[in-house]
Amino acid sequence: MFVTDMKPNPTKAWLMALIAWLIPGSGHAGQGRILRGALGGASVLAIFPCGVALGGHIYGLRDTSEGLLSSLFGFCDLGSGILWLGSRALGLAVSERPQLSTSEYGNVFLMVAGLLNFILALDAFDIGVGRKS
Amino acid sequence: MSLFALLVAFVFAIVGREGERKRTLYALRVFLEFVGVGFALAWLLYWIPW
């Protein structure tokens, strides 16, 4: 399933970016960058549950609870890939918990997890097309 | 805050620099900057009364 040769291939690069978005770190691991993939993926996978534990919640793309910013927050959260999909499907951390004083920190953790995974996916794409080693 | 800084520093180092040594130094720098700026802002806001 994973690509191990180093020749630039745009189709495989897109596939790696998609896989990297879906499963944090897998884009690098699938292209032979095991340590980078493991470290990056573990970072995203650690930030996300920290955010949930702090009382953060996932914003929906059509969420309007905080105006237009909610959609932007939803886009940030979307970056977590399978974590975002799983949370939405299971109904985990989808409702606000304002009674927790750390809930805003939790929201930021969740958004940063998503944004970092977007960056990792873009990096995996760059490796796939040969822009980076 | 330190855990957050550490994890973000890992990812920034992975995507921001090439070579193990450069990555390690960059991760350390990003971590220290996050923590340092965090403490600086905390002290700054502590003295601002509003």
Side-chain angles (χ1 to χ4, degrees), chain A residues 28 35-37 39-40 42-44 46-47 50 108-109 112 116 119-120 123 132-133, chain B residues 1-20 23 34:
Chain A
H28 286 82
L35 182 63
R36 267 190 266 173
L39 207 54
S43 297
V44 172
I47 293 173
C50 285
V108 173
F109 267 61
V112 168
L116 289 177
I119 295 174
L120 283 173
D123 196 58
K132 293 180 86 173
S133 62
Chain B
M1 183 179 79
S2 299
L3 178 65
F4 179 83
L6 186 70
L7 296 172
V8 173
F10 281 151
V11 177
F12 276 18
I14 288 168
V15 301
R17 290 289 183 277
E18 295 285 323
E20 295 306 313
R23 279 201 187 101
F34 261 106

PDB file of all heavy atoms in Angstrom, chain A residues 28 35-37 39-40 42-44 46-47 50 108-109 112 116 119-120 123 132-133, chain B residues 1-20 23 34:
ATOM      1  N   HIS A  28       4.404  10.552   5.884  1.00  0.00           N
ATOM      2  CA  HIS A  28       5.866  10.454   5.971  1.00  0.00           C
ATOM      3  C   HIS A  28       6.297   9.002   6.101  1.00  0.00           C
ATOM      4  O   HIS A  28       7.233   8.557   5.424  1.00  0.00           O
ATOM      5  CB  HIS A  28       6.374  11.253   7.170  1.00  0.00           C
ATOM      6  CG  HIS A  28       6.328  12.737   6.967  1.00  0.00           C
ATOM      7  ND1 HIS A  28       5.180  13.470   7.153  1.00  0.00           N
ATOM      8  CD2 HIS A  28       7.277  13.622   6.577  1.00  0.00           C
ATOM      9  CE1 HIS A  28       5.429  14.741   6.886  1.00  0.00           C
ATOM     10  NE2 HIS A  28       6.692  14.860   6.534  1.00  0.00           N
ATOM     11  N   LEU A  35      10.710   7.751  11.229  1.00  0.00           N
ATOM     12  CA  LEU A  35      10.881   8.519  12.476  1.00  0.00           C
ATOM     13  C   LEU A  35      10.118   9.835  12.430  1.00  0.00           C
ATOM     14  O   LEU A  35       9.423  10.202  13.379  1.00  0.00           O
ATOM     15  CB  LEU A  35      12.375   8.767  12.733  1.00  0.00           C
ATOM     16  CG  LEU A  35      12.698   9.509  14.030  1.00  0.00           C
ATOM     17  CD1 LEU A  35      12.257   8.695  15.237  1.00  0.00           C
ATOM     18  CD2 LEU A  35      14.180   9.828  14.121  1.00  0.00           C
ATOM     19  N   ARG A  36      10.228  10.523  11.289  1.00  0.00           N
ATOM     20  CA  ARG A  36       9.524  11.793  11.131  1.00  0.00           C
ATOM     21  C   ARG A  36       8.013  11.580  11.219  1.00  0.00           C
ATOM     22  O   ARG A  36       7.297  12.344  11.861  1.00  0.00           O
ATOM     23  CB  ARG A  36       9.871  12.420   9.779  1.00  0.00           C
ATOM     24  CG  ARG A  36      11.040  13.373   9.871  1.00  0.00           C
ATOM     25  CD  ARG A  36      11.171  14.140   8.579  1.00  0.00           C
ATOM     26  NE  ARG A  36      12.111  13.504   7.687  1.00  0.00           N
ATOM     27  CZ  ARG A  36      12.320  13.885   6.436  1.00  0.00           C
ATOM     28  NH1 ARG A  36      11.632  14.879   5.935  1.00  0.00           N
ATOM     29  NH2 ARG A  36      13.209  13.278   5.693  1.00  0.00           N
ATOM     30  N   GLY A  37       7.549  10.537  10.545  1.00  0.00           N
ATOM     31  CA  GLY A  37       6.112  10.221  10.571  1.00  0.00           C
ATOM     32  C   GLY A  37       5.637   9.886  11.972  1.00  0.00           C
ATOM     33  O   GLY A  37       4.587  10.354  12.417  1.00  0.00           O
ATOM     34  N   LEU A  39       7.032  10.704  14.859  1.00  0.00           N
ATOM     35  CA  LEU A  39       7.117  11.869  15.760  1.00  0.00           C
ATOM     36  C   LEU A  39       6.005  12.883  15.455  1.00  0.00           C
ATOM     37  O   LEU A  39       5.332  13.374  16.372  1.00  0.00           O
ATOM     38  CB  LEU A  39       8.493  12.523  15.596  1.00  0.00           C
ATOM     39  CG  LEU A  39       9.053  13.300  16.770  1.00  0.00           C
ATOM     40  CD1 LEU A  39       9.079  12.462  18.029  1.00  0.00           C
ATOM     41  CD2 LEU A  39      10.441  13.801  16.441  1.00  0.00           C
ATOM     42  N   GLY A  40       5.827  13.173  14.180  1.00  0.00           N
ATOM     43  CA  GLY A  40       4.777  14.136  13.792  1.00  0.00           C
ATOM     44  C   GLY A  40       3.388  13.606  14.119  1.00  0.00           C
ATOM     45  O   GLY A  40       2.555  14.319  14.680  1.00  0.00           O
ATOM     46  N   ALA A  42       2.592  11.274  16.296  1.00  0.00           N
ATOM     47  CA  ALA A  42       2.410  11.177  17.758  1.00  0.00           C
ATOM     48  C   ALA A  42       2.110  12.548  18.355  1.00  0.00           C
ATOM     49  O   ALA A  42       1.297  12.659  19.283  1.00  0.00           O
ATOM     50  CB  ALA A  42       3.666  10.588  18.395  1.00  0.00           C
ATOM     51  N   SER A  43       2.735  13.581  17.802  1.00  0.00           N
ATOM     52  CA  SER A  43       2.488  14.937  18.312  1.00  0.00           C
ATOM     53  C   SER A  43       1.024  15.335  18.093  1.00  0.00           C
ATOM     54  O   SER A  43       0.350  15.796  19.012  1.00  0.00           O
ATOM     55  CB  SER A  43       3.400  15.950  17.617  1.00  0.00           C
ATOM     56  OG  SER A  43       4.744  15.667  17.914  1.00  0.00           O
ATOM     57  N   VAL A  44       0.551  15.139  16.862  1.00  0.00           N
ATOM     58  CA  VAL A  44      -0.853  15.477  16.565  1.00  0.00           C
ATOM     59  C   VAL A  44      -1.792  14.607  17.393  1.00  0.00           C
ATOM     60  O   VAL A  44      -2.764  15.102  17.989  1.00  0.00           O
ATOM     61  CB  VAL A  44      -1.142  15.313  15.050  1.00  0.00           C
ATOM     62  CG1 VAL A  44      -2.628  15.473  14.764  1.00  0.00           C
ATOM     63  CG2 VAL A  44      -0.340  16.319  14.243  1.00  0.00           C
ATOM     64  N   ALA A  46      -1.271  13.335  20.192  1.00  0.00           N
ATOM     65  CA  ALA A  46      -1.211  13.680  21.625  1.00  0.00           C
ATOM     66  C   ALA A  46      -1.926  14.998  21.900  1.00  0.00           C
ATOM     67  O   ALA A  46      -2.577  15.147  22.940  1.00  0.00           O
ATOM     68  CB  ALA A  46       0.245  13.767  22.071  1.00  0.00           C
ATOM     69  N   ILE A  47      -1.806  15.948  20.973  1.00  0.00           N
ATOM     70  CA  ILE A  47      -2.439  17.257  21.195  1.00  0.00           C
ATOM     71  C   ILE A  47      -3.960  17.129  21.191  1.00  0.00           C
ATOM     72  O   ILE A  47      -4.645  17.761  21.998  1.00  0.00           O
ATOM     73  CB  ILE A  47      -1.974  18.283  20.124  1.00  0.00           C
ATOM     74  CG1 ILE A  47      -0.488  18.592  20.294  1.00  0.00           C
ATOM     75  CG2 ILE A  47      -2.763  19.574  20.237  1.00  0.00           C
ATOM     76  CD1 ILE A  47       0.095  19.458  19.195  1.00  0.00           C
ATOM     77  N   CYS A  50      -5.477  15.852  24.436  1.00  0.00           N
ATOM     78  CA  CYS A  50      -5.251  16.902  25.451  1.00  0.00           C
ATOM     79  C   CYS A  50      -6.339  17.971  25.327  1.00  0.00           C
ATOM     80  O   CYS A  50      -6.879  18.439  26.335  1.00  0.00           O
ATOM     81  CB  CYS A  50      -3.881  17.552  25.268  1.00  0.00           C
ATOM     82  SG  CYS A  50      -2.511  16.550  25.825  1.00  0.00           S
ATOM     83  N   VAL A 108      -8.377  25.569  21.364  1.00  0.00           N
ATOM     84  CA  VAL A 108      -7.137  25.940  20.657  1.00  0.00           C
ATOM     85  C   VAL A 108      -6.278  24.696  20.405  1.00  0.00           C
ATOM     86  O   VAL A 108      -5.717  24.522  19.321  1.00  0.00           O
ATOM     87  CB  VAL A 108      -6.356  27.007  21.444  1.00  0.00           C
ATOM     88  CG1 VAL A 108      -5.002  27.264  20.818  1.00  0.00           C
ATOM     89  CG2 VAL A 108      -7.157  28.300  21.521  1.00  0.00           C
ATOM     90  N   PHE A 109      -6.185  23.818  21.381  1.00  0.00           N
ATOM     91  CA  PHE A 109      -5.425  22.570  21.199  1.00  0.00           C
ATOM     92  C   PHE A 109      -5.973  21.794  19.999  1.00  0.00           C
ATOM     93  O   PHE A 109      -5.210  21.297  19.162  1.00  0.00           O
ATOM     94  CB  PHE A 109      -5.512  21.707  22.462  1.00  0.00           C
ATOM     95  CG  PHE A 109      -4.391  21.918  23.437  1.00  0.00           C
ATOM     96  CD1 PHE A 109      -4.175  23.152  24.030  1.00  0.00           C
ATOM     97  CD2 PHE A 109      -3.544  20.878  23.781  1.00  0.00           C
ATOM     98  CE1 PHE A 109      -3.145  23.354  24.935  1.00  0.00           C
ATOM     99  CE2 PHE A 109      -2.510  21.059  24.677  1.00  0.00           C
ATOM    100  CZ  PHE A 109      -2.307  22.292  25.260  1.00  0.00           C
ATOM    101  N   VAL A 112      -5.138  23.583  16.732  1.00  0.00           N
ATOM    102  CA  VAL A 112      -3.701  23.484  16.412  1.00  0.00           C
ATOM    103  C   VAL A 112      -3.358  22.069  15.944  1.00  0.00           C
ATOM    104  O   VAL A 112      -2.566  21.901  15.008  1.00  0.00           O
ATOM    105  CB  VAL A 112      -2.838  23.906  17.618  1.00  0.00           C
ATOM    106  CG1 VAL A 112      -1.376  23.550  17.412  1.00  0.00           C
ATOM    107  CG2 VAL A 112      -2.973  25.403  17.862  1.00  0.00           C
ATOM    108  N   LEU A 116      -1.582  21.571  12.416  1.00  0.00           N
ATOM    109  CA  LEU A 116      -0.289  20.877  12.323  1.00  0.00           C
ATOM    110  C   LEU A 116      -0.388  19.680  11.379  1.00  0.00           C
ATOM    111  O   LEU A 116       0.542  19.391  10.622  1.00  0.00           O
ATOM    112  CB  LEU A 116       0.183  20.425  13.704  1.00  0.00           C
ATOM    113  CG  LEU A 116       0.644  21.519  14.660  1.00  0.00           C
ATOM    114  CD1 LEU A 116       1.001  20.916  16.017  1.00  0.00           C
ATOM    115  CD2 LEU A 116       1.832  22.287  14.109  1.00  0.00           C
ATOM    116  N   ILE A 119      -0.186  20.835   7.888  1.00  0.00           N
ATOM    117  CA  ILE A 119       1.217  21.120   7.523  1.00  0.00           C
ATOM    118  C   ILE A 119       1.958  19.816   7.215  1.00  0.00           C
ATOM    119  O   ILE A 119       2.718  19.726   6.251  1.00  0.00           O
ATOM    120  CB  ILE A 119       1.928  21.898   8.655  1.00  0.00           C
ATOM    121  CG1 ILE A 119       1.306  23.273   8.825  1.00  0.00           C
ATOM    122  CG2 ILE A 119       3.414  22.044   8.364  1.00  0.00           C
ATOM    123  CD1 ILE A 119       1.860  24.048  10.016  1.00  0.00           C
ATOM    124  N   LEU A 120       1.727  18.801   8.059  1.00  0.00           N
ATOM    125  CA  LEU A 120       2.383  17.496   7.826  1.00  0.00           C
ATOM    126  C   LEU A 120       1.942  16.896   6.496  1.00  0.00           C
ATOM    127  O   LEU A 120       2.750  16.311   5.770  1.00  0.00           O
ATOM    128  CB  LEU A 120       2.052  16.535   8.971  1.00  0.00           C
ATOM    129  CG  LEU A 120       2.814  16.744  10.279  1.00  0.00           C
ATOM    130  CD1 LEU A 120       2.258  15.830  11.360  1.00  0.00           C
ATOM    131  CD2 LEU A 120       4.302  16.488  10.105  1.00  0.00           C
ATOM    132  N   ASP A 123       3.691  18.680   3.761  1.00  0.00           N
ATOM    133  CA  ASP A 123       5.091  18.254   3.732  1.00  0.00           C
ATOM    134  C   ASP A 123       5.217  16.884   3.060  1.00  0.00           C
ATOM    135  O   ASP A 123       6.136  16.661   2.270  1.00  0.00           O
ATOM    136  CB  ASP A 123       5.636  18.204   5.163  1.00  0.00           C
ATOM    137  CG  ASP A 123       7.154  18.165   5.195  1.00  0.00           C
ATOM    138  OD1 ASP A 123       7.780  19.100   4.657  1.00  0.00           O
ATOM    139  OD2 ASP A 123       7.721  17.205   5.756  1.00  0.00           O
ATOM    140  N   LYS A 132      11.157  18.108  -1.506  1.00  0.00           N
ATOM    141  CA  LYS A 132      11.909  17.942  -0.259  1.00  0.00           C
ATOM    142  C   LYS A 132      12.396  16.507  -0.162  1.00  0.00           C
ATOM    143  O   LYS A 132      11.836  15.612  -0.793  1.00  0.00           O
ATOM    144  CB  LYS A 132      11.018  18.267   0.947  1.00  0.00           C
ATOM    145  CG  LYS A 132      10.616  19.725   1.030  1.00  0.00           C
ATOM    146  CD  LYS A 132       9.749  19.996   2.225  1.00  0.00           C
ATOM    147  CE  LYS A 132      10.561  20.271   3.441  1.00  0.00           C
ATOM    148  NZ  LYS A 132       9.697  20.703   4.574  1.00  0.00           N
ATOM    149  N   SER A 133      13.416  16.314   0.646  1.00  0.00           N
ATOM    150  CA  SER A 133      13.944  14.955   0.802  1.00  0.00           C
ATOM    151  C   SER A 133      13.323  14.264   2.012  1.00  0.00           C
ATOM    152  O   SER A 133      12.742  14.888   2.855  1.00  0.00           O
ATOM    153  CB  SER A 133      15.450  15.012   0.981  1.00  0.00           C
ATOM    154  OG  SER A 133      15.778  15.730   2.140  1.00  0.00           O
TER     155      SER A 133
ATOM    156  N   MET B   1       1.363  24.167  28.932  1.00  0.00           N
ATOM    157  CA  MET B   1       1.996  25.044  27.959  1.00  0.00           C
ATOM    158  C   MET B   1       3.308  24.435  27.444  1.00  0.00           C
ATOM    159  O   MET B   1       3.591  24.489  26.246  1.00  0.00           O
ATOM    160  CB  MET B   1       2.280  26.406  28.604  1.00  0.00           C
ATOM    161  CG  MET B   1       2.878  27.421  27.651  1.00  0.00           C
ATOM    162  SD  MET B   1       3.186  29.016  28.404  1.00  0.00           S
ATOM    163  CE  MET B   1       4.705  28.693  29.267  1.00  0.00           C
ATOM    164  N   SER B   2       4.079  23.841  28.370  1.00  0.00           N
ATOM    165  CA  SER B   2       5.351  23.235  27.965  1.00  0.00           C
ATOM    166  C   SER B   2       5.132  22.041  27.048  1.00  0.00           C
ATOM    167  O   SER B   2       5.858  21.861  26.062  1.00  0.00           O
ATOM    168  CB  SER B   2       6.143  22.798  29.194  1.00  0.00           C
ATOM    169  OG  SER B   2       6.434  23.897  29.994  1.00  0.00           O
ATOM    170  N   LEU B   3       4.106  21.228  27.388  1.00  0.00           N
ATOM    171  CA  LEU B   3       3.801  20.063  26.542  1.00  0.00           C
ATOM    172  C   LEU B   3       3.374  20.521  25.155  1.00  0.00           C
ATOM    173  O   LEU B   3       3.830  19.981  24.140  1.00  0.00           O
ATOM    174  CB  LEU B   3       2.697  19.222  27.196  1.00  0.00           C
ATOM    175  CG  LEU B   3       2.236  18.001  26.417  1.00  0.00           C
ATOM    176  CD1 LEU B   3       3.360  16.978  26.304  1.00  0.00           C
ATOM    177  CD2 LEU B   3       1.011  17.361  27.063  1.00  0.00           C
ATOM    178  N   PHE B   4       2.516  21.515  25.125  1.00  0.00           N
ATOM    179  CA  PHE B   4       2.059  22.080  23.859  1.00  0.00           C
ATOM    180  C   PHE B   4       3.253  22.589  23.044  1.00  0.00           C
ATOM    181  O   PHE B   4       3.386  22.279  21.852  1.00  0.00           O
ATOM    182  CB  PHE B   4       1.075  23.218  24.150  1.00  0.00           C
ATOM    183  CG  PHE B   4       0.541  23.911  22.938  1.00  0.00           C
ATOM    184  CD1 PHE B   4      -0.539  23.379  22.244  1.00  0.00           C
ATOM    185  CD2 PHE B   4       1.098  25.096  22.480  1.00  0.00           C
ATOM    186  CE1 PHE B   4      -1.040  24.020  21.127  1.00  0.00           C
ATOM    187  CE2 PHE B   4       0.603  25.741  21.363  1.00  0.00           C
ATOM    188  CZ  PHE B   4      -0.471  25.202  20.689  1.00  0.00           C
ATOM    189  N   ALA B   5       4.130  23.351  23.700  1.00  0.00           N
ATOM    190  CA  ALA B   5       5.313  23.902  23.029  1.00  0.00           C
ATOM    191  C   ALA B   5       6.201  22.780  22.473  1.00  0.00           C
ATOM    192  O   ALA B   5       6.705  22.873  21.356  1.00  0.00           O
ATOM    193  CB  ALA B   5       6.098  24.776  23.994  1.00  0.00           C
ATOM    194  N   LEU B   6       6.358  21.734  23.268  1.00  0.00           N
ATOM    195  CA  LEU B   6       7.208  20.619  22.852  1.00  0.00           C
ATOM    196  C   LEU B   6       6.654  19.919  21.610  1.00  0.00           C
ATOM    197  O   LEU B   6       7.375  19.659  20.632  1.00  0.00           O
ATOM    198  CB  LEU B   6       7.338  19.620  24.005  1.00  0.00           C
ATOM    199  CG  LEU B   6       8.307  18.470  23.802  1.00  0.00           C
ATOM    200  CD1 LEU B   6       9.743  18.977  23.813  1.00  0.00           C
ATOM    201  CD2 LEU B   6       8.124  17.415  24.878  1.00  0.00           C
ATOM    202  N   LEU B   7       5.353  19.630  21.640  1.00  0.00           N
ATOM    203  CA  LEU B   7       4.740  18.901  20.526  1.00  0.00           C
ATOM    204  C   LEU B   7       4.725  19.743  19.250  1.00  0.00           C
ATOM    205  O   LEU B   7       4.983  19.239  18.157  1.00  0.00           O
ATOM    206  CB  LEU B   7       3.318  18.465  20.908  1.00  0.00           C
ATOM    207  CG  LEU B   7       3.239  17.464  22.066  1.00  0.00           C
ATOM    208  CD1 LEU B   7       1.800  17.241  22.502  1.00  0.00           C
ATOM    209  CD2 LEU B   7       3.898  16.146  21.703  1.00  0.00           C
ATOM    210  N   VAL B   8       4.426  21.023  19.409  1.00  0.00           N
ATOM    211  CA  VAL B   8       4.435  21.907  18.227  1.00  0.00           C
ATOM    212  C   VAL B   8       5.863  22.046  17.684  1.00  0.00           C
ATOM    213  O   VAL B   8       6.079  22.052  16.472  1.00  0.00           O
ATOM    214  CB  VAL B   8       3.831  23.288  18.582  1.00  0.00           C
ATOM    215  CG1 VAL B   8       3.999  24.265  17.430  1.00  0.00           C
ATOM    216  CG2 VAL B   8       2.350  23.153  18.923  1.00  0.00           C
ATOM    217  N   ALA B   9       6.828  22.121  18.587  1.00  0.00           N
ATOM    218  CA  ALA B   9       8.236  22.238  18.160  1.00  0.00           C
ATOM    219  C   ALA B   9       8.657  21.014  17.343  1.00  0.00           C
ATOM    220  O   ALA B   9       9.385  21.147  16.352  1.00  0.00           O
ATOM    221  CB  ALA B   9       9.134  22.394  19.380  1.00  0.00           C
ATOM    222  N   PHE B  10       8.202  19.831  17.744  1.00  0.00           N
ATOM    223  CA  PHE B  10       8.518  18.610  16.989  1.00  0.00           C
ATOM    224  C   PHE B  10       8.042  18.745  15.537  1.00  0.00           C
ATOM    225  O   PHE B  10       8.793  18.498  14.590  1.00  0.00           O
ATOM    226  CB  PHE B  10       7.833  17.396  17.612  1.00  0.00           C
ATOM    227  CG  PHE B  10       8.531  16.849  18.825  1.00  0.00           C
ATOM    228  CD1 PHE B  10       7.806  16.193  19.820  1.00  0.00           C
ATOM    229  CD2 PHE B  10       9.900  16.963  18.987  1.00  0.00           C
ATOM    230  CE1 PHE B  10       8.434  15.679  20.943  1.00  0.00           C
ATOM    231  CE2 PHE B  10      10.541  16.457  20.107  1.00  0.00           C
ATOM    232  CZ  PHE B  10       9.796  15.810  21.082  1.00  0.00           C
ATOM    233  N   VAL B  11       6.782  19.139  15.380  1.00  0.00           N
ATOM    234  CA  VAL B  11       6.210  19.211  14.025  1.00  0.00           C
ATOM    235  C   VAL B  11       6.884  20.316  13.216  1.00  0.00           C
ATOM    236  O   VAL B  11       7.219  20.114  12.048  1.00  0.00           O
ATOM    237  CB  VAL B  11       4.678  19.427  14.085  1.00  0.00           C
ATOM    238  CG1 VAL B  11       4.101  19.563  12.688  1.00  0.00           C
ATOM    239  CG2 VAL B  11       4.004  18.263  14.804  1.00  0.00           C
ATOM    240  N   PHE B  12       7.114  21.478  13.831  1.00  0.00           N
ATOM    241  CA  PHE B  12       7.785  22.564  13.114  1.00  0.00           C
ATOM    242  C   PHE B  12       9.176  22.135  12.657  1.00  0.00           C
ATOM    243  O   PHE B  12       9.602  22.477  11.558  1.00  0.00           O
ATOM    244  CB  PHE B  12       7.885  23.799  14.008  1.00  0.00           C
ATOM    245  CG  PHE B  12       6.642  24.660  14.015  1.00  0.00           C
ATOM    246  CD1 PHE B  12       5.432  24.158  13.583  1.00  0.00           C
ATOM    247  CD2 PHE B  12       6.683  25.966  14.453  1.00  0.00           C
ATOM    248  CE1 PHE B  12       4.285  24.932  13.579  1.00  0.00           C
ATOM    249  CE2 PHE B  12       5.548  26.761  14.456  1.00  0.00           C
ATOM    250  CZ  PHE B  12       4.346  26.241  14.023  1.00  0.00           C
ATOM    251  N   ALA B  13       9.867  21.394  13.511  1.00  0.00           N
ATOM    252  CA  ALA B  13      11.214  20.944  13.152  1.00  0.00           C
ATOM    253  C   ALA B  13      11.168  19.948  11.999  1.00  0.00           C
ATOM    254  O   ALA B  13      12.025  19.980  11.103  1.00  0.00           O
ATOM    255  CB  ALA B  13      11.887  20.321  14.362  1.00  0.00           C
ATOM    256  N   ILE B  14      10.164  19.084  11.998  1.00  0.00           N
ATOM    257  CA  ILE B  14      10.035  18.086  10.927  1.00  0.00           C
ATOM    258  C   ILE B  14       9.842  18.764   9.575  1.00  0.00           C
ATOM    259  O   ILE B  14      10.452  18.388   8.578  1.00  0.00           O
ATOM    260  CB  ILE B  14       8.854  17.127  11.233  1.00  0.00           C
ATOM    261  CG1 ILE B  14       9.214  16.202  12.386  1.00  0.00           C
ATOM    262  CG2 ILE B  14       8.475  16.312   9.996  1.00  0.00           C
ATOM    263  CD1 ILE B  14       8.035  15.434  12.938  1.00  0.00           C
ATOM    264  N   VAL B  15       8.976  19.781   9.546  1.00  0.00           N
ATOM    265  CA  VAL B  15       8.661  20.401   8.254  1.00  0.00           C
ATOM    266  C   VAL B  15       9.536  21.613   7.927  1.00  0.00           C
ATOM    267  O   VAL B  15       9.634  22.006   6.768  1.00  0.00           O
ATOM    268  CB  VAL B  15       7.166  20.820   8.174  1.00  0.00           C
ATOM    269  CG1 VAL B  15       6.256  19.626   8.355  1.00  0.00           C
ATOM    270  CG2 VAL B  15       6.835  21.898   9.187  1.00  0.00           C
ATOM    271  N   GLY B  16      10.198  22.179   8.924  1.00  0.00           N
ATOM    272  CA  GLY B  16      10.896  23.444   8.712  1.00  0.00           C
ATOM    273  C   GLY B  16      12.366  23.358   8.397  1.00  0.00           C
ATOM    274  O   GLY B  16      12.949  24.339   7.915  1.00  0.00           O
ATOM    275  N   ARG B  17      12.987  22.261   8.689  1.00  0.00           N
ATOM    276  CA  ARG B  17      14.437  22.151   8.472  1.00  0.00           C
ATOM    277  C   ARG B  17      14.791  20.797   7.882  1.00  0.00           C
ATOM    278  O   ARG B  17      14.081  19.823   8.077  1.00  0.00           O
ATOM    279  CB  ARG B  17      15.194  22.319   9.796  1.00  0.00           C
ATOM    280  CG  ARG B  17      15.165  23.726  10.371  1.00  0.00           C
ATOM    281  CD  ARG B  17      16.013  24.696   9.558  1.00  0.00           C
ATOM    282  NE  ARG B  17      16.048  26.028  10.124  1.00  0.00           N
ATOM    283  CZ  ARG B  17      15.125  26.965   9.945  1.00  0.00           C
ATOM    284  NH1 ARG B  17      14.067  26.694   9.214  1.00  0.00           N
ATOM    285  NH2 ARG B  17      15.251  28.166  10.491  1.00  0.00           N
ATOM    286  N   GLU B  18      15.917  20.757   7.178  1.00  0.00           N
ATOM    287  CA  GLU B  18      16.426  19.501   6.617  1.00  0.00           C
ATOM    288  C   GLU B  18      17.687  19.109   7.393  1.00  0.00           C
ATOM    289  O   GLU B  18      18.491  19.975   7.735  1.00  0.00           O
ATOM    290  CB  GLU B  18      16.775  19.682   5.139  1.00  0.00           C
ATOM    291  CG  GLU B  18      15.582  19.985   4.240  1.00  0.00           C
ATOM    292  CD  GLU B  18      14.702  18.787   3.950  1.00  0.00           C
ATOM    293  OE1 GLU B  18      15.244  17.679   3.802  1.00  0.00           O
ATOM    294  OE2 GLU B  18      13.480  18.949   3.882  1.00  0.00           O
ATOM    295  N   GLY B  19      17.849  17.829   7.648  1.00  0.00           N
ATOM    296  CA  GLY B  19      19.028  17.350   8.379  1.00  0.00           C
ATOM    297  C   GLY B  19      18.730  17.224   9.862  1.00  0.00           C
ATOM    298  O   GLY B  19      18.089  18.103  10.441  1.00  0.00           O
ATOM    299  N   GLU B  20      19.240  16.118  10.435  1.00  0.00           N
ATOM    300  CA  GLU B  20      18.899  15.819  11.835  1.00  0.00           C
ATOM    301  C   GLU B  20      19.378  16.892  12.805  1.00  0.00           C
ATOM    302  O   GLU B  20      18.644  17.301  13.708  1.00  0.00           O
ATOM    303  CB  GLU B  20      19.489  14.457  12.220  1.00  0.00           C
ATOM    304  CG  GLU B  20      18.892  13.285  11.440  1.00  0.00           C
ATOM    305  CD  GLU B  20      17.373  13.223  11.528  1.00  0.00           C
ATOM    306  OE1 GLU B  20      16.841  13.350  12.644  1.00  0.00           O
ATOM    307  OE2 GLU B  20      16.726  13.068  10.477  1.00  0.00           O
ATOM    308  N   ARG B  23      17.376  20.066  12.483  1.00  0.00           N
ATOM    309  CA  ARG B  23      16.022  19.838  13.019  1.00  0.00           C
ATOM    310  C   ARG B  23      16.028  19.881  14.540  1.00  0.00           C
ATOM    311  O   ARG B  23      15.146  20.488  15.157  1.00  0.00           O
ATOM    312  CB  ARG B  23      15.483  18.477  12.561  1.00  0.00           C
ATOM    313  CG  ARG B  23      14.922  18.498  11.197  1.00  0.00           C
ATOM    314  CD  ARG B  23      13.954  17.358  10.948  1.00  0.00           C
ATOM    315  NE  ARG B  23      13.596  17.394   9.544  1.00  0.00           N
ATOM    316  CZ  ARG B  23      14.109  16.611   8.619  1.00  0.00           C
ATOM    317  NH1 ARG B  23      14.997  15.703   8.959  1.00  0.00           N
ATOM    318  NH2 ARG B  23      13.764  16.717   7.369  1.00  0.00           N
ATOM    319  N   PHE B  34       8.607  29.451  22.384  1.00  0.00           N
ATOM    320  CA  PHE B  34       7.210  29.323  22.839  1.00  0.00           C
ATOM    321  C   PHE B  34       7.124  29.560  24.342  1.00  0.00           C
ATOM    322  O   PHE B  34       6.296  30.337  24.818  1.00  0.00           O
ATOM    323  CB  PHE B  34       6.666  27.927  22.521  1.00  0.00           C
ATOM    324  CG  PHE B  34       5.820  27.877  21.280  1.00  0.00           C
ATOM    325  CD1 PHE B  34       6.315  27.317  20.125  1.00  0.00           C
ATOM    326  CD2 PHE B  34       4.531  28.370  21.277  1.00  0.00           C
ATOM    327  CE1 PHE B  34       5.543  27.250  18.973  1.00  0.00           C
ATOM    328  CE2 PHE B  34       3.745  28.317  20.131  1.00  0.00           C
ATOM    329  CZ  PHE B  34       4.258  27.760  18.978  1.00  0.00           C
TER     330      PHE B  34
END
